[in-house]
Amino acid sequence: MSDPAVVLDDLRAESEEVDALVRELSEREWASPTPAPRWTIAHQIAHLAWTDNAALLAATDPDAFAGEVAKALDAPDRFVDDGAEEGAALPPAELLARWRVGRAKLHRVLAEAPPGTRFPWYGPAMSAVSLATARLMETWAHGQDIADALGVDRVPTARLGHVAWIGLRSRDYAYHVRGLTPPAEPFRLELTSPEGEMWAYGPEGAPQTVTGPALDFCLLVAQRVHRTDTALVAHGADAERWLDIAQAFAGPAGPGRAPGGAAQNGGAGTGAGAGMGEDVGEGA
């Protein structure tokens, strides 16, 4: 789907689901550790608020956003964590209110963007639907961290279709960020949706194919699960290799999760660059 209204509706629903996970938490619960090393639940929400505000700045003040990109380039290993730390230091009620206000403003700006508008980002410029898809993917991924911290089982929805799409479209980026040459031919995904339907992406008959549950694929490309803890099957040597390095977010290659669900040392997974531009984040 490339209709901005559809993606924005799904982004709003995803944000509200994550909001419901935290709105009744005590201050002590906001300080609960999540699978991302050194990040509490407060850090997770602070990161979402910070990235939404970065996207809003990109959409409304490109010159000011260019200054933020320069800061990121000066401190590529710290700027995401620094933003999360700043927000996590706020009282939970204030932090939650900041996230709500920021995401509402961003939704409104993206909904009102004229067709063909492209916004600067930490990589290539992005359309409104690209930026909304990237925000949905990241909101879902960090919401998963929060749910894991709380011991909550979230019911997967059809919104995972957006995450799966951006996961496939980010294939080449996963190679480039590791200094590798991506395969020349396109891959195909054949995923079972939460409702039991087949979601197919990529050309039929492609020799390199990945099959399995859509939820498992989305968790893998968001680096929220180790490959051995999924039911994904790679058909072809290149597809096999890709599943070992897949990531649906921009920035340095993440450390991912150790087998069995334990987090490895390193960052929080998806960073401010989530969504790699028009060739990656366009619709779902």
Side-chain angles (χ1 to χ4, degrees):
M1 289 175 284
S2 58
D3 184 347
V6 172
V7 183
L8 285 168
D9 283 347
D10 284 348
L11 172 58
R12 184 175 295 105
E14 194 66 42
S15 299
E16 289 173 352
E17 183 175 301
V18 176
D19 194 305
L21 287 173
V22 302
R23 66 179 60 147
E24 301 297 333
L25 296 182
S26 66
E27 279 202 40
R28 182 175 181 179
E29 289 171 317
W30 275 84
S32 300
T34 68
R38 303 180 302 278
W39 277 31
T40 65
I41 289 175
H43 285 85
Q44 300 285 350
I45 296 299
H47 175 68
L48 291 177
W50 177 81
T51 317
D52 281 344
N53 284 331
L56 181 63
L57 189 65
T60 58
D61 193 341
D63 291 338
F65 179 74
E68 294 303 307
V69 173
K71 293 178 184 178
L73 293 174
D74 287 340
D77 297 328
R78 299 197 322 270
F79 83 107
V80 171
D81 284 336
D82 288 349
E85 287 286 352
E86 180 181 352
L90 296 172
E94 182 178 346
L95 172 58
L96 184 56
R98 177 180 293 189
W99 180 41
R100 288 170 173 170
V101 169
R103 75 187 196 231
K105 289 181 178 178
L106 177 61
H107 293 182
R108 184 167 59 253
V109 168
L110 294 181
E112 295 173 353
T117 302
R118 293 168 66 84
F119 305 110
W121 197 233
Y122 293 94
M126 303 175 76
S127 69
V129 70
S130 297
L131 198 53
T133 303
R135 298 307 308 129
L136 190 155
M137 181 273 294
E138 192 170 20
T139 301
W140 172 80
H142 288 282
Q144 187 62 46
D145 289 338
I146 293 169
D148 288 345
L150 296 172
V152 173
D153 290 327
R154 291 200 295 174
V155 177
T157 72
R159 296 191 296 271
L160 289 178
H162 301 289
V163 183
W165 177 251
I166 202 172
L168 177 61
R169 296 297 292 272
S170 62
R171 185 202 71 173
D172 287 4
Y173 183 85
Y175 283 85
H176 290 312
V177 77
R178 292 166 173 81
L180 304 173
T181 300
E185 70 274 15
F187 288 5
R188 181 173 173 84
L189 293 181
E190 295 179 355
L191 304 176
T192 305
S193 77
E195 295 81 14
E197 300 174 349
M198 176 62 68
W199 289 345
Y201 308 84
E204 189 172 357
Q208 306 293 325
T209 305
V210 172
T211 61
L215 176 60
D216 285 11
F217 179 76
C218 293
L219 289 169
L220 181 70
V221 297
Q223 294 195 352
R224 262 57 185 182
V225 70
H226 191 272
R227 180 186 171 182
T228 58
D229 294 319
T230 74
L232 298 173
V233 178
H235 306 270
D238 287 338
E240 186 80 30
R241 174 59 173 147
W242 176 48
L243 290 187
D244 289 332
I245 64 173
Q247 66 179 70
F249 54 91
R257 298 284 166 86
Q264 299 182 39
N265 291 331
T270 58
M276 277 66 73
E278 203 66 34
D279 289 340
V280 173
E282 187 65 48

